[in-house]
Amino acid sequence: MLDNISLAADAATLSPIALFLQADWVVKAVMIGLLLASIYVWAVIIGHGRGVGSLMRASERFERDFWRAGNIDKFYDENGREDLPSAKVLAAGISEWRRSTAGKRVDREGTRERLGIAMNSALAGEVDRLAQKIGALATIGAVAPFVGLFGTVWGIMRSFTAIAAENNSSLAVVAPGIAEALFATAIGLFAAIPAVIAYNSFSQRLNRLESRLGRFADGLHATFSRELEAEG
């Protein structure tokens, strides 16, 4: 009976909440930082994941409607202000086209070059804007295990200090410190693993979106080039 009571007490002492409360202030700071990082990771996964998915679907719809439209200027005036990467690329191309063809004399080769630069710049800007949040995921995925390892090393150092202070190397003396250390490592992995998986997934999505925007920009450039030749 007494053994059962002792085991129950030990299990309560080694519970996650008890390990946090018993931990040294350094280990507590590590745990809190990693927990906050984990919350941020899941917030980005949920929020950014939904946002990128809906953005890709809306961009696909925008491009499909654009190529079906008979009048580019009319389509742009009606839909060009949408907050979509494809709309931003179209806006850059239309804006440059109107500036370059506003005069009486049109430099066709210069116009083609400026159109390509303007649309590629808009494309790169949209991809960079979408990639800002997932950059933090890469940082957390790379750093969190080492932060947890720091908490592990600190907890083990405390365990050895307890052994030296009490001249007792029994498991009861060293177990709390080692458990705190391993708990810090577990939290670090809990933050890092989803961050790495999410970063790789979002990177693949952004690569697909960048490829789609590149094809859309190339199609626009070809359309503008044909229009220049027709005017010539």
Side-chain angles (χ1 to χ4, degrees):
M1 182 68 178
L2 292 176
D3 292 339
N4 292 335
I5 295 175
S6 177
L7 289 173
D10 291 341
T13 303
L14 298 179
S15 67
I17 296 176
L19 289 175
F20 174 78
L21 295 176
Q22 297 169 7
D24 181 76
W25 65 271
V26 174
V27 181
K28 281 183 179 179
V30 169
M31 291 180 181
I32 292 173
L34 292 173
L35 285 173
L36 292 176
S38 179
I39 292 171
Y40 176 80
V41 166
W42 284 104
V44 172
I45 290 174
I46 295 172
H48 195 63
R50 291 179 178 177
V52 171
S54 62
L55 197 65
M56 292 182 69
R57 290 189 296 271
S59 294
E60 183 178 359
R61 172 192 54 78
F62 180 89
E63 294 170 25
R64 183 177 61 250
D65 293 342
F66 171 79
W67 294 119
R68 290 176 178 174
N71 189 310
I72 294 178
D73 288 324
K74 182 180 179 181
F75 180 87
Y76 172 72
D77 292 336
E78 293 176 354
N79 305 284
R81 302 298 187 273
E82 292 189 33
D83 189 19
L84 295 172
S86 299
K88 300 294 179 63
V89 173
L90 175 62
I94 292 291
S95 179
E96 183 57 44
W97 168 265
R98 290 177 176 177
R99 286 196 299 267
S100 297
T101 59
K104 295 181 179 180
R105 185 176 180 181
V106 178
D107 180 5
R108 290 177 175 80
E109 291 304 319
T111 299
R112 288 189 179 95
E113 184 177 354
R114 288 191 296 272
L115 283 168
I117 293 173
M119 289 188 292
N120 287 332
S121 177
L123 187 157
E126 287 302 299
V127 173
D128 289 342
R129 180 177 65 84
L130 293 172
Q132 286 180 351
K133 288 185 178 180
I134 70 170
L137 295 180
T139 301
I140 293 173
V143 173
F146 294 99
V147 176
L149 182 61
F150 170 75
T152 299
V153 172
W154 190 271
I156 292 175
M157 287 172 56
R158 287 190 63 218
S159 298
F160 283 116
T161 303
I163 292 173
E166 299 186 17
N167 288 324
N168 188 350
S169 59
S170 68
L171 185 61
V173 175
V174 299
I178 294 176
E180 295 165 13
L182 297 176
F183 188 48
T185 301
I187 297 176
L189 294 175
F190 182 75
I193 292 174
V196 172
I197 295 173
Y199 176 78
N200 291 333
S201 176
F202 289 148
S203 295
Q204 292 176 0
R205 284 189 177 186
L206 287 180
N207 288 338
R208 291 197 300 270
L209 179 61
E210 186 176 7
S211 298
R212 174 182 291 276
L213 290 176
R215 292 191 296 270
F216 182 61
D218 290 341
L220 284 175
H221 194 273
T223 301
F224 289 133
S225 295
R226 287 193 297 269
E227 187 67 23
L228 284 172
E229 293 175 359
E231 291 184 0

